[in-house]
Amino acid sequence: MVVGICADGTAIKPGVAIPRKTVELELFDAGYTRDKVSFTYQENGFYDTDAFMQWAIEQLFPDIQMKRRIHNYDGEALLILDGFGPHDCDDFLDMCTDEGIIVFLLAPHTSDQCQPLDIGIFSVQKGKMPRMSVDPDLSAQIIQLIRM
């Protein structure tokens, strides 16, 4: 899963990598539709550089462009990223430069100490996931995605 939070309190549409080329209907039935979640196929279900770049091109950059139009702002934007490997990809960093985005990479392996998403979002999410009530008749993969 890849997520983005903005300083104005909004969120960028999250991306979820799934190990299937089609999304199971149970996810759509549970409300996880393409207008709320950006699904991408990745054979092992984990984000790699290609999947991250797809999310950045389809979600991140358009969201930043939209916020600039709404706020009539054409200056630089600051993007704070954790130590996830694809964040340090040359193509992504070049696109950020072209978009007027300053990238600040947090130190790797410090997630429990200073990474805002890990401290403020993911730690809460990980604590609540096991206690969430989900239909047990769904597949294990769907239950995990709904909990995420």
Side-chain angles (χ1 to χ4, degrees):
M1 176 178 240
V2 62
V3 299
I5 55 174
C6 304
D8 66 359
T10 61
I12 299 169
K13 185 190 299 186
V16 175
I18 56 175
R20 297 177 50 140
K21 292 186 179 181
T22 59
V23 179
E24 295 184 42
L25 292 178
E26 289 92 350
L27 272 178
F28 293 144
D29 291 343
Y32 296 87
T33 55
R34 292 193 188 277
D35 62 319
K36 296 177 186 162
V37 179
S38 175
F39 294 99
T40 188
Y41 165 73
Q42 212 299 323
E43 188 174 331
N44 62 14
F46 291 97
Y47 261 84
D48 61 6
T49 300
D50 292 336
F52 174 72
M53 287 294 292
Q54 177 184 339
W55 178 82
I57 291 166
E58 293 176 1
Q59 306 304 324
L60 176 67
F61 295 128
D63 192 83
I64 292 171
Q65 292 164 357
M66 179 190 63
K67 288 183 186 321
R68 284 182 165 149
R69 284 191 302 276
I70 289 171
H71 298 291
N72 195 26
Y73 176 76
D74 62 358
E76 293 177 323
L78 177 64
L79 182 62
I80 302 171
L81 299 169
D82 64 12
F84 181 50
H87 291 163
D88 201 16
C89 163
D90 287 339
D91 290 339
F92 174 70
L93 296 174
D94 288 345
M95 290 179 77
C96 287
T97 299
D98 294 343
E99 292 286 331
I101 299 169
I102 298 169
V103 175
F104 180 81
L105 293 169
L106 295 170
H109 311 296
T110 59
S111 62
D112 63 327
Q113 298 157 15
C114 69
Q115 293 188 12
L117 280 174
D118 287 335
I119 293 170
I121 304 293
F122 294 140
S123 64
V124 173
Q125 173 198 20
K126 289 174 185 174
K128 291 187 180 225
M129 282 176 58
R131 297 189 307 266
M132 289 181 67
S133 175
V134 181
D135 182 351
D137 293 332
L138 298 172
S139 71
Q141 179 188 32
I142 297 299
I143 290 172
Q144 180 70 9
L145 288 172
I146 288 173
R147 285 181 173 163
M148 286 177 13

